[in-house]
Amino acid sequence: MKVITNVSDMHQEVRNLKAQTVGFVPTMGYLHDGHRVLIKHAKEENNIVVVSVFVNPLQFNQSSDLENYPRDFERDRQILERDGVDYVFYPEGNKMYPNPLTINMSIVKRTDVLCGQSRPGHFEGVVMVLSKLFNIVKPNQVYFGIKDAQQVAVVDALIQDLNFDIQLKPVPTKREKDGLAMSSRNVNLEDHERQEASEIYQSLKSVQIFIESSSTWTRQEVIDYVRNYLVKRISGEIDYVDCLSFPELTADISKDDDVIIAVAVYYKRARLIDNIILDCNGKIKYGSESDV
Ligand code: AMP
């Protein structure tokens, strides 16, 4: 008999009993090449790949957003089949929430800023569904896009706090040719909105050059830089521009911290988000993903 006194050793022992490694890509479907790069990474690094397609009602705070969310499972199924995914988990109807929940998860750090601030309850819904999915799929590695960097920061905390025996694998953002981050919501943009939306990424690239060339930049200077850049070039309404430590997401940035500069913009029928993450020397940490 073995006596095991720490969590990582216990995890390793259980792992050794299972020969296969499972890579898991949680999605809300309506798949695009941004999702497909996560799948590509998962396939390269695991024996088995599981993708979930589930539009999680708990993480929507406006019922209109939930209703407008694009869905096409047959199309998704074909993409996943072609990409060689082993399993798609597509729970129908109320299979994920058959009974009203008794447990409520609350998050005390990393969500009082960025999307957490403008979408109260969103990340609580995310950690609830992910905890369920992690327990259902039991993956070794989970793949999340850096495009949703706050989600990566929250999942990082979820895995640590609840001792999920799972490795978090952040994947760089896949972009359209003009730099717009791919998103299922881009189909809801009007023509002129789609055209100007590439300026969001341009504003981030531009501020990165500013940061790299300035040894004395301040958080407020960075925020003002991006805001001024955008108000001159886009008609969408800026929800937020922020500059924070990563992954802690605090305004108090020390000189060794990685830094995220993040933007959210409201258009008529879509809210777009984007970010860049820089190391303490101002160099981009996660570049953009190349073609799949
Ligand atoms: P969603 O279906 O929007 O919930 O996204 C599922 C996963 O795909 C999340 O981890 C997202 O961060 C990731 N993702 C969405 N768009 C992109 C993109 N353009 N590049 C890389 N990953 C993405």
Side-chain angles (χ1 to χ4, degrees):
M1 185 185 78
K2 280 187 181 173
V3 177
I4 296 169
T5 54
N6 76 59
V7 173
S8 58
D9 290 349
M10 189 68 237
H11 278 155
Q12 194 53 49
E13 287 290 326
V14 177
R15 282 281 180 232
N16 291 344
L17 303 174
K18 288 204 285 170
Q20 309 266 47
T21 61
V22 176
F24 178 40
V25 182
T27 82
M28 296 205 296
Y30 212 72
L31 303 175
H32 51 69
D33 284 356
H35 298 107
R36 292 181 61 228
V37 294
L38 307 188
I39 294 166
K40 187 185 82 175
H41 283 259
K43 272 192 73 76
E44 281 165 4
E45 297 166 10
N46 300 275
N47 307 114
I48 301 287
V49 173
V50 182
V51 174
S52 62
V53 173
F54 179 62
V55 181
N56 175 34
L58 277 196
Q59 70 192 67
F60 286 80
N61 27 17
Q62 284 178 355
S63 55
S64 60
D65 194 19
L66 176 60
E67 281 153 27
N68 283 337
Y69 202 84
R71 295 166 171 87
D72 187 345
F73 182 68
E74 190 42 39
R75 180 178 158 277
D76 289 344
R77 201 188 57 72
Q78 284 172 22
I79 291 171
L80 295 172
E81 189 116 52
R82 226 184 307 128
D83 280 351
V85 167
D86 298 285
Y87 298 95
V88 51
F89 180 54
Y90 175 58
E92 284 179 309
N94 66 353
K95 294 262 167 58
M96 288 297 284
Y97 304 107
N99 303 307
L101 290 169
T102 308
I103 306 293
N104 186 12
M105 300 175 86
S106 72
I107 306 175
V108 293
K109 285 184 195 163
R110 304 189 182 188
T111 55
D112 55 342
V113 289
L114 309 180
C115 295
Q117 200 173 29
S118 23
R119 304 180 69 190
H122 168 73
F123 285 109
E124 279 75 7
V126 170
V127 295
M128 176 57 80
V129 78
L130 288 178
S131 300
K132 285 159 104 36
L133 290 170
F134 290 172
N135 282 323
I136 294 166
V137 176
K138 297 195 170 39
N140 301 75
Q141 316 207 74
V142 283
Y143 294 79
F144 286 88
I146 276 292
K147 175 179 165 274
D148 299 284
Q150 188 169 21
Q151 177 164 270
V152 170
V154 169
V155 175
D156 170 58
L158 175 72
I159 288 174
Q160 286 187 49
D161 284 4
L162 298 195
N163 296 105
F164 280 110
D165 182 18
I166 296 176
Q167 210 186 340
L168 173 60
K169 307 288 278 193
V171 176
T173 301
K174 172 88 179 148
R175 300 180 178 282
E176 303 286 355
K177 283 208 173 61
D178 65 355
L180 176 66
M182 289 188 177
S183 165
S184 309
R185 291 186 160 88
N186 292 350
V187 294
N188 292 331
L189 293 173
E190 292 181 359
D191 287 351
H192 74 280
E193 294 176 337
R194 170 63 192 85
Q195 268 185 12
E196 65 174 46
S198 61
E199 293 291 354
I200 296 171
Y201 183 49
Q202 299 309 323
S203 73
L204 296 170
K205 286 210 305 195
S206 181
V207 80
Q208 187 263 330
I209 294 167
F210 163 72
I211 288 175
E212 215 178 2
S213 65
S214 154
S215 52
T216 58
W217 62 270
T218 65
R219 174 174 175 259
Q220 196 55 51
E221 269 174 352
V222 168
I223 294 170
D224 292 344
Y225 185 105
V226 176
R227 243 179 208 285
N228 291 334
Y229 186 104
L230 287 173
V231 289
K232 282 190 212 135
R233 293 171 175 87
I234 64 167
S235 60
E237 185 196 336
I238 297 173
D239 177 15
Y240 64 69
V241 172
D242 212 342
C243 171
L244 301 163
S245 66
F246 189 84
E248 292 77 15
L249 305 183
T250 59
D252 181 19
I253 303 169
S254 37
K255 67 174 178 27
D256 297 333
D257 284 342
D258 290 345
V259 167
I260 180 169
I261 300 123
V263 176
V265 174
Y266 282 111
Y267 283 106
K268 235 177 252 154
R269 290 181 54 239
R271 179 175 169 282
L272 304 187
I273 59 171
D274 204 348
N275 69 75
I276 49 168
I277 297 173
L278 308 180
D279 67 16
C280 58
N281 300 312
K283 297 259 183 278
I284 295 192
K285 261 204 104 165
Y286 302 89
S288 298
E289 189 69 26
S290 55
D291 290 342
V292 278

